[in-house]
Amino acid sequence: MGDLDKHLIGFGSKRVSSYIKKNPHLAVSIGLFCGGDMALWLDVTPLAGSLFGAGGALLGAWITELNKRRTDAENKAEREADAIAALAPELQRTIERTQYILDRAVVNFTCESSINGLTTNDLQGDFRPYMPSLYPSAPQVRDLPGDKAIALIRYYDSLNEISQHVDDWWEREGQLAVNIFNMLMHVVEKSLRLGLVCIREFDLETRCPPPYESWGILTSRIERSLDGAANARQRHLDRAEKHRLDPVKSKEPTAYRKY
């Protein structure tokens, strides 16, 4: 019991000390009021009046500062809410585009992996992500809370990685198409996982609900796309293993298409 009392006393003293550091005007004014009471008790009226006056002035300054803090906190919260509301639609649009890119990459990867001769007629531009127009120059970006700002930066940076991959590897001569689309899938999957963090941070499910209930929420659509990519990659590995175990085909190279 003694240890508990010491712990509570120590905890209480720490809180008092912290409060005094944050509110020095209040602490000094209390000290002045106590001094004024003592001077009044000693019948030193002029000194008591001076101490009470100084204490009252500091108390007024503390109340003014307290009101300013409250107003600043309310203004900050309002700016943060406005920033989230302003940036959310653009964020939603880029995430949906990224999900579309993954779906198309999976289709192309599957066609190349199965060597079925099918062509999707997708163009290079079909795999370019939508880049943000508000980030990073809009003033609302500076008003975002720390966690939301970090999530947004990491996600938008991943879009640059997708765009660079498409520019560097699209139909590069001598490369296997199946490998290029596999690499693209990995890059886009990484981006979508960062996008899922942004969906939670910006509460996009509530702010930007799907136009049709049958679509499902954005998170569930992304998870389906990620599962589809994982399944396509596993089927590719299964086909490769089957080819390796075939005593006849294993001696022949796999006829993947080259650029």
Side-chain angles (χ1 to χ4, degrees), residues 26-210:
L26 178 62
V28 175
S29 67
I30 291 174
L32 290 172
F33 282 130
C34 291
D37 285 337
M38 185 171 292
L40 195 62
W41 181 70
L42 294 173
D43 201 23
V44 187
T45 306
L47 178 60
S50 299
L51 292 174
F52 283 136
L58 285 175
L59 182 61
W62 173 74
I63 293 173
T64 301
E65 183 182 354
L66 187 64
N67 290 333
K68 182 178 181 301
R69 288 183 198 169
R70 185 180 295 111
T71 302
D72 290 345
E74 291 173 353
N75 290 339
K76 180 182 178 183
E78 184 177 354
R79 289 196 306 272
E80 289 177 353
D82 290 344
I84 293 170
L87 297 172
E90 178 176 77
L91 177 61
Q92 168 92 2
R93 179 175 61 87
T94 63
I95 293 176
E96 287 181 337
R97 172 66 176 183
T98 306
Q99 185 213 350
Y100 168 81
I101 293 173
L102 178 59
D103 290 342
R104 296 312 304 164
V106 169
V107 171
N108 281 268
F109 173 77
T110 301
C111 290
E112 298 295 343
S113 172
S114 58
I115 320 176
N116 55 21
L118 296 177
T119 57
T120 61
N121 295 322
D122 284 324
L123 304 176
Q124 184 180 23
D126 297 326
F127 296 92
R128 294 190 187 280
Y130 289 158
M131 304 305 292
S133 56
L134 294 177
Y135 172 87
S137 57
Q140 290 89 343
V141 177
R142 295 191 294 271
D143 293 326
L144 286 175
D147 291 343
K148 290 177 173 55
I150 292 172
L152 196 69
I153 291 169
R154 294 185 65 192
Y155 167 67
Y156 280 149
D157 182 64
S158 72
L159 298 185
N160 291 320
E161 186 177 358
I162 296 173
S163 183
Q164 184 176 358
H165 178 85
V166 173
D167 288 339
D168 291 347
W169 290 95
W170 184 261
E171 295 186 354
R172 177 178 285 195
E173 184 177 356
Q175 297 296 318
L176 296 177
V178 67
N179 287 343
I180 290 179
F181 284 111
N182 186 33
M183 292 168 59
L184 178 60
M185 284 164 55
H186 279 292
V187 174
V188 180
E189 286 173 89
K190 171 187 172 184
S191 180
L192 281 177
R193 290 190 176 94
L194 294 173
L196 287 173
V197 177
C198 288
I199 291 174
R200 292 192 297 270
E201 289 289 343
F202 286 77
D203 194 21
L204 292 185
E205 307 293 16
T206 302
R207 296 178 182 277
C208 307

